[in-house]
Amino acid sequence: MKRADCLFFVLAAVLITAAVHLATPEHATADAKGGASPSVRPPAQAEPERVAGDKAVVAPVTGRAAPARSVGPARSVGLAAPDKKELAQQLVASAENSTLNWREAYGYIEDIGDGQGYTAGVVGFCTGTHDLLALVERYTRAHPGNGLARYLPALREVDGTDSHEGLDPNFPAAWRHEAGLAAFREAQDSERDRIYFDPAVRLAGRDGLGALGQFVYYDAMVMHGPGTGGHSFHGLRERTLREADPPSEGGDEKTYLGTFLDVRRAVMKSEDPGRDTTRVDTAQRRFLDAGNLGLRTPLEWKVYGETYRVP
């Protein structure tokens, strides 16, 4: 008993010494520098996880982005990752502007005869669908006196129509000239992300979709608009949810995306039976049939009969 007692007190002394040693500042973690000792400091609070596809990022309360943490090699990177976002713009540009060089579309402007007035810029902002008006209004608030500001009264008048009244003959030239300025190119990117890209990626992430599903949502939002009508993005999603469960509710991801593409294609054909649907049929559907839910490269697809490749 005496030997056991002695060992007990020796062990206790060692533990106490170790505890005091570890509590000294040189052993405090980087997070505790300048703050309370880690022995009494509660764990750092964080905002709830923001799901960006298959990768969750936790941001500390300071607002500084935390490093992305891996969730395993079998999971795909979400569309918001820089390389995936670049790929997404290339895929959209192949359908919207028949090119992979999406940056050359900043100055694009044309009436393509679809009843939406002028279509312009990196994601086809339209004078008849409010997004072009919203872009020019926000740009003008940041840069008063720009070359498009004088067209704001006309843009408000033609919003919701295919009219060019007050825009012809010089609005296209003014748009192309403004697109030569970095500030307007940045404004286009910002508005694209605000209206289309960011909402699509967030919602797809909540539905449990990986990079391909996030792109499927993004492309649909660009083409159909983010409205709630039967032919708009949220209408397409609601119809899909009535037919299939998303992965976030236990559904199969491939089945859910296949249903969404079926719904979207049917809507496109209902608008015009002769409409080309290759951006769905020989692009997104091709990736889905190959099981490429992570939208991994290399990729090959066809739009309007033209073959595109990303190595």
Side-chain angles (χ1 to χ4, degrees):
M1 289 294 293
K2 288 181 180 179
R3 183 179 179 86
D5 290 343
C6 180
L7 289 173
F8 173 80
F9 284 114
V10 170
L11 178 60
V14 171
L15 291 174
I16 292 170
T17 301
V20 171
H21 179 67
L22 290 173
T24 57
E26 70 234 39
H27 291 280
T29 64
D31 286 340
K33 286 181 181 177
S37 164
S39 63
V40 296
R41 185 184 184 188
Q45 292 182 343
E47 295 175 359
E49 289 187 347
R50 299 193 309 274
V51 178
D54 292 314
K55 184 169 291 184
V57 178
V58 177
V61 290
T62 59
R64 183 177 300 170
R69 53 185 174 84
S70 171
V71 291
R75 306 291 282 171
S76 65
V77 174
L79 206 66
D83 59 333
K84 294 300 184 188
K85 186 173 183 179
E86 176 71 18
L87 178 60
Q89 309 320 317
Q90 292 176 310
L91 287 163
V92 167
S94 71
E96 292 287 324
N97 305 104
S98 298
T99 180
L100 293 183
N101 185 7
W102 61 271
R103 290 174 178 83
E104 69 184 17
Y106 287 116
Y108 165 77
I109 182 166
E110 181 183 10
D111 188 330
I112 60 176
D114 61 354
Q116 297 179 350
Y118 280 118
T119 297
V122 288
V123 287
F125 301 105
C126 295
T127 55
T129 59
H130 191 69
D131 55 353
L132 191 147
L133 170 60
L135 165 62
V136 176
E137 286 180 332
R138 291 171 71 88
Y139 179 58
T140 300
R141 285 197 292 271
H143 303 277
N146 68 78
L148 299 175
R150 66 181 181 272
Y151 292 100
L152 278 172
L155 289 171
R156 294 184 182 111
E157 285 296 320
V158 303
D159 190 23
T161 76
D162 63 354
S163 174
H164 294 184
E165 187 173 354
L167 300 176
D168 287 341
N170 296 321
F171 179 71
W175 178 279
R176 286 189 287 268
H177 179 270
E178 206 68 22
L181 303 178
F184 188 52
R185 296 194 296 272
E186 291 168 5
Q188 289 193 44
D189 289 346
S190 177
E191 200 69 358
R192 172 202 65 202
D193 291 352
R194 185 182 75 87
I195 299 177
Y196 301 115
F197 187 82
D198 292 346
V201 170
R202 281 196 301 267
L203 184 55
R206 289 201 297 269
D207 284 346
L209 303 175
L212 175 59
Q214 292 167 36
F215 176 73
V216 165
Y217 274 21
Y218 172 47
D219 188 68
M221 200 172 283
V222 166
M223 181 175 178
H224 299 276
T228 58
H231 288 199
S232 297
F233 169 77
H234 289 287
L236 302 180
R237 178 175 172 271
E238 287 302 316
R239 285 179 57 182
T240 302
L241 290 171
R242 289 196 291 268
E243 298 181 27
D245 290 330
S248 61
E249 296 179 11
D252 177 75
E253 185 171 7
K254 192 171 182 180
T255 299
Y256 176 81
L257 287 176
T259 303
F260 184 91
L261 294 180
D262 288 342
V263 168
R264 183 181 176 190
R265 188 180 191 280
V267 165
M268 292 170 70
K269 287 296 187 181
S270 71
E271 294 171 339
D272 177 5
R275 188 168 196 169
D276 188 300
T277 57
T278 51
R279 68 193 295 163
V280 171
D281 303 335
T282 53
Q284 296 168 46
R285 179 77 68 178
R286 173 179 289 190
F287 307 148
L288 181 62
D289 289 346
N292 191 355
L293 299 176
L295 205 59
R296 296 177 301 276
T297 53
L299 289 179
E300 180 177 314
W301 70 97
K302 285 187 177 182
V303 181
Y304 311 135
E306 188 79 19
T307 298
Y308 297 92
R309 296 180 183 86
V310 172

